[in-house]
Amino acid sequence: MDLKDLYREVILDHNKSPRLFGRLDPADSSADGHNPLCGDRLHVTLRLDGERVSDLRFDGKGCAISVASASLMCEAVKGKRREEIAHLFGEIHAVLTHHDAPIPEDLGKLAALAGVRDFPVRVKCASLAWHTLNAALANASDPVKTE
Ligand code: ZN
């Protein structure tokens, strides 16, 4: 499947039926994200088990790409450790912002997000969920910093 087909299929699917949609209550941390260019608004709540994000949810309103990206992100990072998430974020950021960046094999379905790099105004839509997750992780009162 080429990138365009993957993009269309995965984005449509995750926009229509977002995974892990909602809010955790109680949660260990949360953050709001806003992309003024498009009007996307997301809220991420998460629970931590040590260095691991044991559970998370997102909700909010936005364009298909911002919602699909948040859904894909939640699915991808659930159960992962902070350092694994930071690594994934680095890979996502690279494929979104560098037109010719190779797409790492381990991205799986997240590779679909690379489809937006042909639409620069959409990059902020696709990265909003990741920035919001980072803010929620930074807000978490965890004495151990992994940077
Ligand atoms: Zn958007």
Side-chain angles (χ1 to χ4, degrees):
M1 194 185 284
D2 75 9
L3 186 56
K4 263 198 196 118
D5 291 337
L6 181 73
Y7 174 70
R8 209 171 292 131
E9 191 180 299
V10 172
I11 300 293
L12 283 178
D13 173 36
H14 278 259
N15 180 53
K16 210 167 82 182
S17 14
R19 324 298 200 264
L20 298 168
F21 190 87
R23 289 184 187 213
L24 294 172
D25 185 19
D28 293 318
S29 188
S30 65
D32 288 302
H34 180 212
N35 170 20
L37 288 178
C38 180
D40 310 315
R41 285 183 185 277
L42 293 177
H43 183 78
V44 169
T45 51
L46 59 83
R47 283 189 196 139
L48 290 167
D49 177 12
E51 284 295 290
R52 205 172 285 278
V53 173
S54 57
D55 205 358
L56 78 167
R57 295 287 186 283
F58 83 97
D59 69 3
K61 273 191 177 359
C63 65
I65 293 166
S66 66
V67 170
S69 177
S71 169
L72 284 160
M73 178 199 77
C74 287
E75 217 177 41
V77 306
K78 189 178 170 185
K80 284 201 165 59
R81 286 178 291 120
R82 281 171 182 258
E83 61 185 57
E84 293 174 299
I85 293 169
H87 175 76
L88 207 51
F89 180 71
E91 290 186 333
I92 293 286
H93 192 258
V95 297
L96 283 180
T97 54
H98 300 289
H99 193 80
D100 296 323
I103 296 168
E105 294 266 332
D106 63 347
L107 282 186
K109 264 194 288 179
L110 289 171
L113 294 176
V116 306
R117 62 184 171 181
D118 294 329
F119 311 98
V121 292
R122 291 300 193 184
V123 169
K124 283 206 159 46
C125 302
S127 59
L128 177 64
W130 297 84
H131 289 296
T132 311
L133 172 67
N134 273 352
L137 285 171
N139 288 344
S141 49
D142 189 329
V144 186
K145 282 255 191 297
T146 51
E147 195 48 61

Short mmCIF file of all heavy atoms in Angstrom, two decimals, residues 57-125:
data_model
loop_
_atom_site.label_atom_id
_atom_site.label_comp_id
_atom_site.label_asym_id
_atom_site.label_seq_id
_atom_site.Cartn_x
_atom_site.Cartn_y
_atom_site.Cartn_z
N ARG A 57 -6.43 8.95 27.53
CA ARG A 57 -7.60 9.23 26.70
C ARG A 57 -7.42 10.63 26.10
O ARG A 57 -6.70 11.46 26.66
CB ARG A 57 -8.88 9.25 27.53
CG ARG A 57 -9.30 7.95 28.15
CD ARG A 57 -9.85 6.95 27.15
NE ARG A 57 -10.37 5.77 27.82
CZ ARG A 57 -9.61 4.79 28.31
NH1 ARG A 57 -8.30 4.86 28.22
NH2 ARG A 57 -10.15 3.75 28.91
N PHE A 58 -8.13 10.86 25.01
CA PHE A 58 -8.18 12.23 24.50
C PHE A 58 -9.63 12.55 24.17
O PHE A 58 -10.45 11.67 23.90
CB PHE A 58 -7.32 12.38 23.24
CG PHE A 58 -8.01 11.94 21.97
CD1 PHE A 58 -8.64 12.87 21.15
CD2 PHE A 58 -8.06 10.60 21.63
CE1 PHE A 58 -9.29 12.47 19.98
CE2 PHE A 58 -8.72 10.20 20.46
CZ PHE A 58 -9.33 11.13 19.65
N ASP A 59 -9.95 13.82 24.24
CA ASP A 59 -11.20 14.27 23.63
C ASP A 59 -11.00 15.68 23.11
O ASP A 59 -9.93 16.26 23.25
CB ASP A 59 -12.42 14.14 24.56
CG ASP A 59 -12.41 15.10 25.73
OD1 ASP A 59 -11.48 15.94 25.82
OD2 ASP A 59 -13.33 15.04 26.55
N GLY A 60 -12.01 16.18 22.46
CA GLY A 60 -11.90 17.50 21.88
C GLY A 60 -12.56 17.55 20.52
O GLY A 60 -13.25 16.61 20.12
N LYS A 61 -12.35 18.67 19.87
CA LYS A 61 -12.95 18.87 18.55
C LYS A 61 -11.88 19.39 17.61
O LYS A 61 -11.09 20.25 17.97
CB LYS A 61 -14.05 19.94 18.64
CG LYS A 61 -15.42 19.41 19.02
CD LYS A 61 -16.42 20.52 18.80
CE LYS A 61 -17.87 20.16 19.07
NZ LYS A 61 -18.24 18.86 19.47
N GLY A 62 -11.90 18.87 16.41
CA GLY A 62 -10.92 19.35 15.46
C GLY A 62 -11.16 18.73 14.11
O GLY A 62 -12.13 17.99 13.91
N CYS A 63 -10.26 19.02 13.19
CA CYS A 63 -10.39 18.47 11.85
C CYS A 63 -10.05 16.98 11.87
O CYS A 63 -9.56 16.45 12.87
CB CYS A 63 -9.44 19.22 10.91
SG CYS A 63 -7.72 18.97 11.31
N ALA A 64 -10.32 16.33 10.77
CA ALA A 64 -10.11 14.88 10.67
C ALA A 64 -8.68 14.49 11.02
O ALA A 64 -8.45 13.49 11.71
CB ALA A 64 -10.44 14.41 9.26
N ILE A 65 -7.73 15.28 10.58
CA ILE A 65 -6.33 14.92 10.81
C ILE A 65 -5.96 15.03 12.28
O ILE A 65 -5.28 14.17 12.82
CB ILE A 65 -5.40 15.78 9.93
CG1 ILE A 65 -5.62 15.41 8.46
CG2 ILE A 65 -3.93 15.59 10.31
CD1 ILE A 65 -5.04 16.40 7.48
N SER A 66 -6.43 16.09 12.95
CA SER A 66 -6.08 16.25 14.36
C SER A 66 -6.71 15.14 15.21
O SER A 66 -6.07 14.61 16.12
CB SER A 66 -6.49 17.63 14.88
OG SER A 66 -7.90 17.77 14.90
N VAL A 67 -7.94 14.77 14.89
CA VAL A 67 -8.63 13.71 15.66
C VAL A 67 -7.99 12.35 15.37
O VAL A 67 -7.69 11.58 16.28
CB VAL A 67 -10.14 13.69 15.33
CG1 VAL A 67 -10.81 12.46 15.93
CG2 VAL A 67 -10.80 14.96 15.85
N ALA A 68 -7.74 12.08 14.10
CA ALA A 68 -7.13 10.79 13.74
C ALA A 68 -5.74 10.66 14.33
O ALA A 68 -5.35 9.60 14.82
CB ALA A 68 -7.08 10.64 12.22
N SER A 69 -4.99 11.76 14.32
CA SER A 69 -3.64 11.72 14.86
C SER A 69 -3.67 11.45 16.36
O SER A 69 -2.86 10.69 16.89
CB SER A 69 -2.94 13.04 14.58
OG SER A 69 -1.66 13.04 15.16
N ALA A 70 -4.62 12.08 17.08
CA ALA A 70 -4.74 11.86 18.52
C ALA A 70 -5.12 10.41 18.81
O ALA A 70 -4.60 9.79 19.73
CB ALA A 70 -5.79 12.81 19.10
N SER A 71 -6.02 9.88 18.01
CA SER A 71 -6.46 8.50 18.17
C SER A 71 -5.29 7.53 17.94
O SER A 71 -5.05 6.61 18.73
CB SER A 71 -7.60 8.22 17.19
OG SER A 71 -7.90 6.85 17.14
N LEU A 72 -4.56 7.75 16.87
CA LEU A 72 -3.39 6.92 16.56
C LEU A 72 -2.33 7.03 17.65
O LEU A 72 -1.72 6.04 18.05
CB LEU A 72 -2.77 7.36 15.23
CG LEU A 72 -3.51 6.93 13.96
CD1 LEU A 72 -3.11 7.81 12.79
CD2 LEU A 72 -3.25 5.46 13.65
N MET A 73 -2.14 8.25 18.14
CA MET A 73 -1.14 8.47 19.18
C MET A 73 -1.49 7.71 20.45
O MET A 73 -0.65 7.03 21.03
CB MET A 73 -1.02 9.96 19.49
CG MET A 73 -0.04 10.26 20.60
SD MET A 73 -0.31 11.88 21.30
CE MET A 73 -1.75 11.60 22.33
N CYS A 74 -2.76 7.84 20.89
CA CYS A 74 -3.17 7.17 22.12
C CYS A 74 -2.95 5.66 22.01
O CYS A 74 -2.43 5.03 22.93
CB CYS A 74 -4.64 7.46 22.43
SG CYS A 74 -4.91 9.15 23.01
N GLU A 75 -3.34 5.12 20.88
CA GLU A 75 -3.17 3.69 20.65
C GLU A 75 -1.69 3.30 20.70
O GLU A 75 -1.32 2.28 21.26
CB GLU A 75 -3.74 3.35 19.27
CG GLU A 75 -4.44 2.03 19.19
CD GLU A 75 -5.03 1.81 17.80
OE1 GLU A 75 -4.38 2.14 16.77
OE2 GLU A 75 -6.14 1.31 17.74
N ALA A 76 -0.86 4.16 20.11
CA ALA A 76 0.56 3.83 19.98
C ALA A 76 1.32 3.97 21.30
O ALA A 76 2.26 3.22 21.56
CB ALA A 76 1.21 4.72 18.92
N VAL A 77 0.94 4.94 22.15
CA VAL A 77 1.78 5.20 23.33
C VAL A 77 1.27 4.52 24.59
O VAL A 77 1.98 4.45 25.58
CB VAL A 77 1.96 6.72 23.62
CG1 VAL A 77 2.49 7.44 22.38
CG2 VAL A 77 0.69 7.35 24.13
N LYS A 78 0.05 3.99 24.55
CA LYS A 78 -0.49 3.33 25.75
C LYS A 78 0.41 2.17 26.16
O LYS A 78 0.70 1.29 25.35
CB LYS A 78 -1.91 2.83 25.48
CG LYS A 78 -2.59 2.34 26.75
CD LYS A 78 -4.01 1.90 26.52
CE LYS A 78 -4.50 1.19 27.78
NZ LYS A 78 -5.82 0.63 27.64
N GLY A 79 0.86 2.21 27.41
CA GLY A 79 1.72 1.15 27.92
C GLY A 79 3.20 1.39 27.70
O GLY A 79 4.04 0.64 28.17
N LYS A 80 3.52 2.47 27.00
CA LYS A 80 4.94 2.75 26.71
C LYS A 80 5.57 3.62 27.80
O LYS A 80 4.90 4.39 28.47
CB LYS A 80 5.09 3.44 25.36
CG LYS A 80 4.92 2.50 24.18
CD LYS A 80 5.57 3.09 22.93
CE LYS A 80 5.75 2.06 21.84
NZ LYS A 80 4.54 1.41 21.39
N ARG A 81 6.90 3.49 27.92
CA ARG A 81 7.64 4.31 28.87
C ARG A 81 7.92 5.68 28.26
O ARG A 81 7.93 5.84 27.04
CB ARG A 81 8.97 3.61 29.24
CG ARG A 81 8.77 2.43 30.18
CD ARG A 81 10.09 1.72 30.48
NE ARG A 81 10.60 1.03 29.30
CZ ARG A 81 11.78 1.30 28.73
NH1 ARG A 81 12.57 2.22 29.25
NH2 ARG A 81 12.17 0.64 27.67
N ARG A 82 8.18 6.65 29.14
CA ARG A 82 8.44 8.02 28.69
C ARG A 82 9.51 8.08 27.61
O ARG A 82 9.39 8.82 26.65
CB ARG A 82 8.90 8.88 29.87
CG ARG A 82 7.80 9.36 30.79
CD ARG A 82 8.45 9.98 32.00
NE ARG A 82 7.47 10.45 32.98
CZ ARG A 82 7.12 11.73 33.12
NH1 ARG A 82 7.66 12.65 32.38
NH2 ARG A 82 6.24 12.07 34.03
N GLU A 83 10.59 7.33 27.81
CA GLU A 83 11.69 7.43 26.84
C GLU A 83 11.30 6.83 25.50
O GLU A 83 11.75 7.30 24.45
CB GLU A 83 12.97 6.80 27.40
CG GLU A 83 12.85 5.32 27.70
CD GLU A 83 14.12 4.78 28.36
OE1 GLU A 83 14.50 5.31 29.41
OE2 GLU A 83 14.70 3.83 27.81
N GLU A 84 10.46 5.81 25.52
CA GLU A 84 9.97 5.23 24.25
C GLU A 84 9.07 6.25 23.53
O GLU A 84 9.09 6.37 22.31
CB GLU A 84 9.17 3.96 24.52
CG GLU A 84 9.99 2.81 25.07
CD GLU A 84 9.12 1.62 25.44
OE1 GLU A 84 8.24 1.76 26.33
OE2 GLU A 84 9.30 0.55 24.85
N ILE A 85 8.27 6.97 24.33
CA ILE A 85 7.37 7.97 23.76
C ILE A 85 8.18 9.12 23.16
O ILE A 85 7.88 9.61 22.07
CB ILE A 85 6.38 8.47 24.83
CG1 ILE A 85 5.43 7.33 25.20
CG2 ILE A 85 5.60 9.69 24.33
CD1 ILE A 85 4.57 7.61 26.43
N ALA A 86 9.23 9.52 23.87
CA ALA A 86 10.08 10.60 23.37
C ALA A 86 10.74 10.19 22.05
O ALA A 86 10.85 10.99 21.11
CB ALA A 86 11.15 10.96 24.41
N HIS A 87 11.15 8.95 21.95
CA HIS A 87 11.76 8.43 20.72
C HIS A 87 10.76 8.46 19.57
O HIS A 87 11.06 8.92 18.47
CB HIS A 87 12.27 7.01 20.98
CG HIS A 87 12.80 6.32 19.76
ND1 HIS A 87 14.03 6.61 19.23
CD2 HIS A 87 12.26 5.38 18.96
CE1 HIS A 87 14.23 5.87 18.16
NE2 HIS A 87 13.16 5.12 17.96
N LEU A 88 9.54 7.99 19.86
CA LEU A 88 8.48 7.96 18.86
C LEU A 88 8.14 9.38 18.40
O LEU A 88 7.96 9.64 17.21
CB LEU A 88 7.25 7.31 19.50
CG LEU A 88 6.23 6.59 18.63
CD1 LEU A 88 6.89 5.59 17.70
CD2 LEU A 88 5.21 5.89 19.52
N PHE A 89 8.07 10.29 19.36
CA PHE A 89 7.77 11.68 19.02
C PHE A 89 8.83 12.26 18.09
O PHE A 89 8.52 12.96 17.12
CB PHE A 89 7.66 12.53 20.29
CG PHE A 89 7.35 13.98 20.01
CD1 PHE A 89 6.10 14.36 19.56
CD2 PHE A 89 8.31 14.96 20.18
CE1 PHE A 89 5.81 15.69 19.28
CE2 PHE A 89 8.03 16.29 19.92
CZ PHE A 89 6.78 16.65 19.46
N GLY A 90 10.09 11.91 18.35
CA GLY A 90 11.18 12.37 17.50
C GLY A 90 11.01 11.87 16.08
O GLY A 90 11.22 12.61 15.11
N GLU A 91 10.63 10.60 15.95
CA GLU A 91 10.44 10.01 14.62
C GLU A 91 9.27 10.66 13.89
O GLU A 91 9.34 10.98 12.70
CB GLU A 91 10.20 8.50 14.73
CG GLU A 91 11.44 7.74 15.16
CD GLU A 91 11.25 6.24 15.13
OE1 GLU A 91 10.10 5.76 15.28
OE2 GLU A 91 12.25 5.53 14.96
N ILE A 92 8.17 10.87 14.63
CA ILE A 92 6.98 11.50 14.04
C ILE A 92 7.31 12.92 13.58
O ILE A 92 6.98 13.33 12.49
CB ILE A 92 5.83 11.56 15.08
CG1 ILE A 92 5.33 10.16 15.41
CG2 ILE A 92 4.69 12.44 14.60
CD1 ILE A 92 4.51 9.52 14.32
N HIS A 93 8.00 13.63 14.46
CA HIS A 93 8.34 15.01 14.15
C HIS A 93 9.19 15.07 12.88
O HIS A 93 8.98 15.92 12.01
CB HIS A 93 9.08 15.65 15.33
CG HIS A 93 9.21 17.12 15.20
ND1 HIS A 93 10.37 17.73 14.80
CD2 HIS A 93 8.31 18.11 15.38
CE1 HIS A 93 10.18 19.03 14.76
NE2 HIS A 93 8.94 19.29 15.10
N ALA A 94 10.13 14.15 12.76
CA ALA A 94 11.02 14.13 11.59
C ALA A 94 10.24 13.85 10.30
O ALA A 94 10.42 14.53 9.30
CB ALA A 94 12.12 13.09 11.78
N VAL A 95 9.35 12.85 10.34
CA VAL A 95 8.65 12.52 9.08
C VAL A 95 7.61 13.59 8.74
O VAL A 95 7.26 13.76 7.58
CB VAL A 95 7.97 11.12 9.08
CG1 VAL A 95 9.01 10.03 9.21
CG2 VAL A 95 6.89 11.00 10.12
N LEU A 96 7.12 14.32 9.75
CA LEU A 96 6.14 15.37 9.46
C LEU A 96 6.80 16.61 8.87
O LEU A 96 6.20 17.31 8.06
CB LEU A 96 5.40 15.79 10.73
CG LEU A 96 4.30 14.87 11.26
CD1 LEU A 96 3.71 15.47 12.53
CD2 LEU A 96 3.22 14.66 10.22
N THR A 97 8.01 16.89 9.31
CA THR A 97 8.59 18.18 8.97
C THR A 97 9.67 18.11 7.89
O THR A 97 10.02 19.13 7.32
CB THR A 97 9.16 18.89 10.21
OG1 THR A 97 10.07 18.01 10.86
CG2 THR A 97 8.05 19.27 11.18
N HIS A 98 10.19 16.93 7.62
CA HIS A 98 11.20 16.80 6.57
C HIS A 98 10.60 16.03 5.40
O HIS A 98 10.28 14.85 5.54
CB HIS A 98 12.46 16.11 7.09
CG HIS A 98 13.09 16.85 8.22
ND1 HIS A 98 13.75 18.04 8.05
CD2 HIS A 98 13.12 16.59 9.54
CE1 HIS A 98 14.18 18.48 9.22
NE2 HIS A 98 13.80 17.62 10.15
N HIS A 99 10.48 16.73 4.32
CA HIS A 99 9.77 16.14 3.19
C HIS A 99 10.37 14.83 2.71
O HIS A 99 9.65 13.93 2.29
CB HIS A 99 9.71 17.14 2.03
CG HIS A 99 8.75 16.73 0.99
ND1 HIS A 99 7.39 16.95 1.12
CD2 HIS A 99 8.92 16.06 -0.17
CE1 HIS A 99 6.78 16.44 0.07
NE2 HIS A 99 7.67 15.90 -0.73
N ASP A 100 11.69 14.71 2.80
CA ASP A 100 12.34 13.51 2.26
C ASP A 100 12.78 12.53 3.34
O ASP A 100 13.48 11.57 3.05
CB ASP A 100 13.56 13.92 1.42
CG ASP A 100 13.11 14.74 0.21
OD1 ASP A 100 12.06 14.42 -0.35
OD2 ASP A 100 13.82 15.70 -0.15
N ALA A 101 12.38 12.79 4.58
CA ALA A 101 12.82 11.88 5.65
C ALA A 101 12.29 10.48 5.40
O ALA A 101 11.12 10.30 5.06
CB ALA A 101 12.31 12.39 7.00
N PRO A 102 13.14 9.47 5.55
CA PRO A 102 12.67 8.10 5.40
C PRO A 102 11.69 7.78 6.53
O PRO A 102 11.78 8.33 7.63
CB PRO A 102 13.94 7.26 5.53
CG PRO A 102 14.93 8.13 6.22
CD PRO A 102 14.57 9.55 5.90
N ILE A 103 10.74 6.90 6.26
CA ILE A 103 9.75 6.55 7.28
C ILE A 103 10.21 5.29 8.01
O ILE A 103 10.33 4.23 7.41
CB ILE A 103 8.38 6.34 6.62
CG1 ILE A 103 7.91 7.67 6.02
CG2 ILE A 103 7.36 5.81 7.63
CD1 ILE A 103 6.73 7.55 5.11
N PRO A 104 10.51 5.43 9.31
CA PRO A 104 11.01 4.27 10.06
C PRO A 104 9.99 3.14 10.07
O PRO A 104 8.79 3.38 10.22
CB PRO A 104 11.23 4.83 11.47
CG PRO A 104 11.27 6.31 11.32
CD PRO A 104 10.39 6.62 10.15
N GLU A 105 10.49 1.91 9.94
CA GLU A 105 9.64 0.71 9.92
C GLU A 105 8.77 0.61 11.17
O GLU A 105 7.62 0.20 11.11
CB GLU A 105 10.52 -0.54 9.85
CG GLU A 105 11.32 -0.68 8.57
CD GLU A 105 10.59 -1.54 7.56
OE1 GLU A 105 9.82 -2.41 7.99
OE2 GLU A 105 10.78 -1.32 6.34
N ASP A 106 9.35 0.98 12.33
CA ASP A 106 8.65 0.74 13.58
C ASP A 106 7.48 1.70 13.82
O ASP A 106 6.80 1.61 14.83
CB ASP A 106 9.63 0.75 14.77
CG ASP A 106 10.30 2.11 14.97
OD1 ASP A 106 10.20 2.96 14.05
OD2 ASP A 106 10.91 2.31 16.02
N LEU A 107 7.23 2.60 12.89
CA LEU A 107 6.09 3.51 13.08
C LEU A 107 4.75 2.81 12.86
O LEU A 107 3.72 3.26 13.37
CB LEU A 107 6.19 4.71 12.13
CG LEU A 107 7.15 5.83 12.53
CD1 LEU A 107 7.01 7.00 11.58
CD2 LEU A 107 6.90 6.30 13.95
N GLY A 108 4.75 1.73 12.10
CA GLY A 108 3.49 1.02 11.85
C GLY A 108 2.46 1.94 11.23
O GLY A 108 2.75 2.69 10.29
N LYS A 109 1.24 1.91 11.79
CA LYS A 109 0.14 2.73 11.26
C LYS A 109 0.40 4.22 11.35
O LYS A 109 -0.15 5.02 10.61
CB LYS A 109 -1.16 2.41 12.01
CG LYS A 109 -2.04 1.40 11.30
CD LYS A 109 -3.43 1.38 11.89
CE LYS A 109 -3.47 0.73 13.26
NZ LYS A 109 -4.82 0.74 13.85
N LEU A 110 1.28 4.60 12.31
CA LEU A 110 1.61 6.02 12.46
C LEU A 110 2.26 6.59 11.21
O LEU A 110 2.26 7.80 11.00
CB LEU A 110 2.55 6.22 13.65
CG LEU A 110 1.96 6.02 15.04
CD1 LEU A 110 3.06 6.03 16.08
CD2 LEU A 110 0.93 7.09 15.34
N ALA A 111 2.79 5.71 10.38
CA ALA A 111 3.41 6.15 9.13
C ALA A 111 2.40 6.92 8.28
O ALA A 111 2.78 7.78 7.48
CB ALA A 111 3.94 4.95 8.35
N ALA A 112 1.11 6.63 8.47
CA ALA A 112 0.07 7.32 7.70
C ALA A 112 0.15 8.83 7.90
O ALA A 112 -0.17 9.61 7.01
CB ALA A 112 -1.31 6.82 8.11
N LEU A 113 0.59 9.25 9.10
CA LEU A 113 0.66 10.68 9.39
C LEU A 113 1.63 11.40 8.46
O LEU A 113 1.49 12.60 8.21
CB LEU A 113 1.08 10.92 10.85
CG LEU A 113 0.07 10.47 11.90
CD1 LEU A 113 0.65 10.67 13.29
CD2 LEU A 113 -1.24 11.22 11.75
N ALA A 114 2.61 10.65 7.96
CA ALA A 114 3.59 11.26 7.06
C ALA A 114 2.90 11.80 5.80
O ALA A 114 3.46 12.65 5.11
CB ALA A 114 4.67 10.25 6.69
N GLY A 115 1.69 11.31 5.52
CA GLY A 115 0.94 11.80 4.37
C GLY A 115 0.68 13.30 4.41
O GLY A 115 0.48 13.92 3.37
N VAL A 116 0.69 13.89 5.61
CA VAL A 116 0.40 15.33 5.70
C VAL A 116 1.59 16.19 5.30
O VAL A 116 1.45 17.39 5.13
CB VAL A 116 -0.08 15.80 7.10
CG1 VAL A 116 -1.25 14.98 7.57
CG2 VAL A 116 1.04 15.81 8.10
N ARG A 117 2.76 15.59 5.17
CA ARG A 117 3.90 16.46 4.90
C ARG A 117 3.81 17.11 3.52
O ARG A 117 4.55 18.01 3.22
CB ARG A 117 5.23 15.74 5.10
CG ARG A 117 5.47 14.56 4.20
CD ARG A 117 6.77 13.94 4.63
NE ARG A 117 7.02 12.68 3.97
CZ ARG A 117 8.09 11.93 4.19
NH1 ARG A 117 8.98 12.33 5.09
NH2 ARG A 117 8.27 10.80 3.57
N ASP A 118 2.91 16.60 2.68
CA ASP A 118 2.68 17.28 1.41
C ASP A 118 1.74 18.47 1.57
O ASP A 118 1.46 19.19 0.62
CB ASP A 118 2.08 16.29 0.39
CG ASP A 118 3.09 15.21 0.02
OD1 ASP A 118 4.31 15.52 0.04
OD2 ASP A 118 2.68 14.08 -0.26
N PHE A 119 1.21 18.65 2.79
CA PHE A 119 0.28 19.75 3.08
C PHE A 119 0.78 20.49 4.32
O PHE A 119 0.31 20.23 5.43
CB PHE A 119 -1.13 19.21 3.34
CG PHE A 119 -1.60 18.24 2.30
CD1 PHE A 119 -1.50 16.87 2.53
CD2 PHE A 119 -2.14 18.68 1.11
CE1 PHE A 119 -1.93 15.95 1.57
CE2 PHE A 119 -2.57 17.77 0.15
CZ PHE A 119 -2.46 16.42 0.37
N PRO A 120 1.72 21.41 4.12
CA PRO A 120 2.37 22.05 5.28
C PRO A 120 1.41 22.65 6.30
O PRO A 120 1.68 22.59 7.49
CB PRO A 120 3.23 23.13 4.63
CG PRO A 120 3.48 22.64 3.25
CD PRO A 120 2.26 21.87 2.84
N VAL A 121 0.26 23.18 5.87
CA VAL A 121 -0.64 23.79 6.85
C VAL A 121 -1.26 22.73 7.76
O VAL A 121 -1.80 23.05 8.81
CB VAL A 121 -1.79 24.59 6.19
CG1 VAL A 121 -1.25 25.82 5.50
CG2 VAL A 121 -2.62 23.74 5.25
N ARG A 122 -1.18 21.45 7.35
CA ARG A 122 -1.77 20.36 8.15
C ARG A 122 -0.81 19.77 9.18
O ARG A 122 -1.21 18.97 10.01
CB ARG A 122 -2.25 19.24 7.22
CG ARG A 122 -3.45 19.63 6.39
CD ARG A 122 -4.59 20.00 7.28
NE ARG A 122 -5.84 20.09 6.56
CZ ARG A 122 -6.97 20.47 7.12
NH1 ARG A 122 -7.00 20.80 8.40
NH2 ARG A 122 -8.06 20.52 6.42
N VAL A 123 0.46 20.16 9.08
CA VAL A 123 1.45 19.56 9.98
C VAL A 123 1.10 19.86 11.44
O VAL A 123 1.20 19.00 12.32
CB VAL A 123 2.88 20.02 9.62
CG1 VAL A 123 3.87 19.63 10.69
CG2 VAL A 123 3.29 19.41 8.28
N LYS A 124 0.62 21.07 11.71
CA LYS A 124 0.26 21.44 13.08
C LYS A 124 -0.95 20.64 13.57
O LYS A 124 -1.08 20.36 14.75
CB LYS A 124 -0.01 22.94 13.19
CG LYS A 124 1.27 23.75 13.22
CD LYS A 124 1.06 25.07 13.93
CE LYS A 124 2.34 25.69 14.45
NZ LYS A 124 3.44 25.69 13.48
N CYS A 125 -1.84 20.31 12.65
CA CYS A 125 -2.99 19.47 13.01
C CYS A 125 -2.51 18.09 13.45
O CYS A 125 -2.98 17.54 14.44
CB CYS A 125 -3.93 19.30 11.81
SG CYS A 125 -4.56 20.85 11.15
#
